[in-house]
Amino acid sequence: MGIKTALPAAELGLYSLVLSGALAYAGRGLLEASRDGAHRKAFRESVRPGWEYIGRKMDVADFEWVMWFTSFRNIIIFALSGHVLFAKLCTMVAPQLRSWMYAVYGALAVLGTMGPWYLLLLLGHCVGFYVASLLGQPWLCLGLGLASLASFKMDPLISWQSGFVTGTFDLQEVLFHGGSGFTVLRCTSFALESCVHPDRHYSLADLLKYNFYLPFFFFGPIMTFDRFHAQVSQVEPVRREGELWRIRAQAGFSVVAIVAVDIFFHFFYILTIPRDLKFANRLSDSALAGLAYSNLVYDWVKAAVLFGVVNTVARLDHLDPPQPPKCITALYVFAETHFDRGINDWLCKYVYDHIGGEHSTVIPELGATVATFAITTLWLGPCDIVYLWSFLNCFGLNFELWVQKVAEWGPLAQIEASLSEQMSRRVRALFGAMNFWAIIMYNLVSLNSLEFTELVAQRLLLTGFPQTTMAILFVTYCGVQLVKERERTLALEEEQEQDKEKLE
C-alpha cells in the first residue's frame, strides 16, 4: 500500500525545505571544521596545496583519485584515445574484425603496462578456465573460479603471482588486483555460460576477446560473457536514435563531476577529518552526520565517474555496459545497495538468484545471501573489516525479508489495511529512514574505519539521544519521502510510455 500514492504538494514542499536546510546547516559545519583544521599537524600528510587561483589547500587522502587525475591522467587518456581511434578505423575498414582489434589492443596495453610475464600469467588462467569449460560441469567451473580468485587474494600465492609484474610504479598494486580479479570473474562467466549453452561452441578466442577488452580490463565494470559476446559479434551494429547525444551527455557529466570533486575537496576535507578522531569528535552532531553521509556519497561519485568514463568508451564501441551504481541518497533498502552494478549483476546471475529463487522465503534467502557475501568477501580480500562488513550487510538484507514477513502477518497486515494509502506510505518511509542509516553505518565500516563508525554511532544514537537521534531521523524521513515521490513519478511515466506503445 502507498507505493503509488501521491502526498499533498504542501507536505512535499515542507520535506524539501527541511532537507535542504539540514544539508546546508551540516555543510556549514563541515566547511568551518575544514577551515579550522587545515593547518593541524595531523592533516599535513593528506591536506596539501591545491589550485593556486582558489587559494585553499586540497584534501588528497584518496590515493587512487589523486593518481588517476595527476600522474596517470595522460596515460589513461592516451590508452583510451588509442582504443577509440583504432576501434573506429577497424569498424570503418573491417567491421567483422573489430572484436579481434579490441583483444589485440588490450593485450598490448597490458603487456606495456604490467610486463610480459603478467600477461602470460593471465593467459595461463584463461587456458585453465577454457579447459574446465570443455568438461561441461558448472560446479567445477565455479569451484575453479573461487580457487583462482583466492590465489590472487591470499598468501602465499598472491605474493608469488604479484612477482610476475615487471617494474614498480604507484598504481601497480591497484592494477594488479583489478586486472587479476576481473579476469577471474570474466573467465568464470565464460566457463559457466559455456556449460549452460554447449551448443554454441564458444572458443578460446572468444574468451580472449572478452577478457582483454581494455576499457573493462583493470577497473570493470564486468559484463557477463553472454551479453558481451552477443553485442561484440554484431558485424554491422546500429546506434539507436539519440545514442550519440546520450554518449556526449555522459562524457560531459563525467568531466563536470571530476571538476566538481576537485573543487569540493578544496573546501571540505571529508576524507581527512575522520582520520583525526579527536578533531572529528569536536564536530557538532549535524556536521558529524553530514560527514558520515558525505563519505558514502563521495564513494558513489567516484564509482560513477570511473564507470562513466569507461562506459562512454564502451558505448562508442556499440556496447551496452552496466549502468553506474544507484546513488546512495536514493537507497533505503539493502536489496538495492551496491557500489558496482556489474559485480552485482554477476553475483545475482550465478549465485544469489540461482540459490535464492524468488527471494520470498526465509531459508533459501539466508543461504543465497551467505553464499553471495562469502564470495564478495573473497573478492574484496579476506580481513577482519571485510568480515564485519559482509556480516552486517548480509544481516541487513535478511532482516528486511524478516520484517516484510512479519508485516504480512495477519494482525499487522490488517492494521496496515485499515490505514489510508498516504498514511501507509508515511509509515513505510519511517522504516525506510531507519534502514537508510543502517546502510550508511554498515558500509562506513569498510569505506572509512571501524573507529570512526563507532564514534558516529555513539554520538548519534547514545550521546545525542533523543534530540539528535530524532532530528536526524526526521530529516532522513523527509529525504526518503522525496525519493519515493521521484520513484512514483518515474513509475507513472513508464506506465504511460507502455500504454502509448500498446496503442501504437
Side-chain angles (χ1 to χ4, degrees):
M1 291 181 63
I3 302 301
K4 296 183 179 180
T5 304
L7 295 179
E11 183 177 346
L12 292 173
L14 175 63
Y15 293 155
S16 300
L17 183 63
V18 170
L19 181 62
S20 57
L23 290 176
Y25 185 69
R28 178 185 175 186
L30 284 177
L31 180 62
E32 292 176 351
S34 299
R35 182 189 59 206
D36 295 341
H39 300 288
R40 285 178 62 86
K41 183 181 296 185
F43 284 23
R44 288 179 181 174
E45 290 296 322
S46 54
V47 176
R48 299 179 181 178
W51 294 352
E52 294 181 0
Y53 42 89
I54 288 183
R56 289 179 63 96
K57 293 184 176 181
M58 178 182 178
D59 190 340
V60 294
D62 189 341
F63 167 78
E64 288 184 7
W65 181 273
V66 173
M67 288 296 100
W68 287 345
F69 300 109
T70 54
S71 57
F72 277 84
R73 178 186 57 203
N74 294 336
I75 297 175
I76 293 172
I77 294 175
F78 176 78
L80 292 181
S81 299
H83 173 90
V84 172
L85 176 62
F86 284 110
K88 184 62 176 178
L89 290 174
C90 189
T91 302
M92 294 172 59
V93 178
Q96 70 277 12
L97 298 178
R98 67 190 186 103
S99 60
W100 275 109
M101 191 286 302
Y102 297 155
V104 171
Y105 184 88
L108 291 175
V110 174
L111 175 67
T113 306
M114 308 293 285
W117 293 111
Y118 179 75
L119 179 61
L120 288 175
L121 174 67
L122 296 189
L123 287 174
H125 279 272
C126 290
V127 171
F129 276 97
Y130 175 69
V131 172
S133 70
L134 297 178
L135 302 177
Q137 299 295 327
W139 64 268
L140 177 62
C141 296
L142 184 59
L144 178 62
L146 296 179
S148 296
L149 189 59
S151 73
F152 284 112
K153 299 295 181 178
M154 302 170 66
D155 278 324
L157 289 179
I158 183 176
S159 300
W160 175 68
Q161 293 185 101
S162 62
F164 283 82
V165 181
T166 301
T168 55
F169 48 93
D170 290 335
L171 280 180
Q172 175 179 314
E173 185 175 354
V174 175
L175 296 183
F176 171 80
H177 286 289
S180 306
F182 279 111
T183 290
V184 171
L185 293 189
R186 284 187 289 262
C187 289
T188 305
S189 177
F190 168 85
L192 291 173
E193 294 296 335
S194 296
C195 294
V196 174
H197 305 288
D199 54 307
R200 297 183 182 177
H201 304 293
Y202 296 128
S203 66
L204 178 60
D206 293 325
L207 173 56
L208 297 180
K209 295 174 188 177
Y210 171 50
N211 185 58
F212 288 101
Y213 179 69
L214 182 61
F216 295 165
F217 183 81
F218 286 112
F219 300 111
I222 184 171
M223 289 178 67
T224 54
F225 174 75
D226 56 330
R227 290 185 57 208
F228 180 88
H229 183 73
Q231 295 174 25
V232 82
S233 298
Q234 297 178 12
V235 177
E236 296 182 0
V238 179
R239 295 195 187 279
R240 292 173 293 180
E241 184 178 353
E243 180 69 13
L244 283 177
W245 182 89
R246 286 188 288 270
I247 292 174
R248 295 190 192 100
Q250 186 177 47
F253 169 79
S254 298
V255 172
V256 170
I258 292 170
V259 175
V261 169
D262 265 23
I263 294 175
F264 181 86
F265 278 157
H266 282 80
F267 294 90
F268 298 92
Y269 304 150
I270 61 170
L271 301 181
T272 296
I273 291 176
R275 298 185 176 190
D276 187 351
L277 294 180
K278 185 180 295 184
F279 183 77
N281 197 32
R282 299 177 188 173
L283 299 178
S284 64
D285 291 342
S286 60
L288 189 62
L291 181 62
Y293 166 72
S294 61
N295 267 257
L296 266 74
V297 171
Y298 166 68
D299 196 74
W300 170 79
V301 172
K302 179 179 174 182
V305 168
L306 173 62
F307 294 142
V309 172
V310 170
N311 287 359
T312 299
V313 177
R315 282 193 166 89
L316 289 173
D317 292 336
H318 302 275
L319 297 180
D320 184 20
Q323 297 297 311
K326 192 173 182 179
C327 180
I328 183 65
T329 303
L331 293 175
Y332 54 89
V333 290
F334 278 91
E336 297 179 1
T337 304
H338 50 264
F339 294 92
D340 188 323
R341 198 181 296 267
I343 293 179
N344 180 75
D345 293 345
W346 190 98
L347 288 169
C348 286
K349 180 171 185 178
Y350 299 122
V351 183
Y352 184 57
D353 291 341
H354 184 73
I355 299 175
E358 298 295 325
H359 306 293
S360 58
T361 53
V362 173
I363 300 302
E365 177 69 3
L366 180 61
T369 52
V370 169
T372 300
F373 278 100
I375 295 176
T376 305
T377 299
L378 186 59
W379 163 258
L380 294 174
C383 64
D384 292 342
I385 288 297
V386 174
Y387 294 147
L388 178 60
W389 174 87
S390 294
F391 171 79
L392 292 174
N393 282 272
C394 184
F395 168 77
L397 193 56
N398 281 278
F399 188 71
E400 280 182 348
L401 179 60
W402 302 341
V403 172
Q404 179 184 339
K405 290 299 181 182
V406 172
E408 293 172 354
W409 180 51
L412 291 179
Q414 291 176 3
I415 293 174
E416 185 178 16
S418 66
L419 301 175
S420 67
E421 291 191 345
Q422 290 183 341
M423 185 56 67
S424 175
R425 170 172 163 171
R426 294 185 183 106
V427 172
R428 288 174 177 266
L430 181 60
F431 283 98
M434 292 186 286
N435 218 30
F436 178 87
W437 273 99
I439 291 172
I440 288 182
M441 300 303 291
Y442 290 178
N443 287 281
L444 197 62
V445 169
S446 64
L447 295 179
N448 203 289
S449 69
L450 179 59
E451 293 76 16
F452 178 65
T453 306
E454 290 175 346
L455 172 63
V456 174
Q458 182 180 4
R459 287 280 300 277
L460 301 188
L461 299 178
L462 299 178
T463 308
F465 185 84
Q467 292 90 346
T468 298
T469 307
M470 300 307 295
I472 289 177
L473 187 61
F474 177 66
V475 170
T476 309
Y477 166 83
C478 295
V480 171
Q481 285 288 24
L482 294 175
V483 171
K484 281 179 171 287
E485 184 64 21
R486 174 61 176 166
E487 291 175 345
R488 186 190 71 85
T489 303
L490 293 175
L492 290 176
E493 291 177 354
E494 187 175 347
E495 286 183 3
Q496 292 174 357
E497 290 181 1
Q498 291 176 354
D499 293 339
K500 194 177 296 183
E501 290 177 358
K502 290 179 181 178
L503 292 176
E504 294 177 353

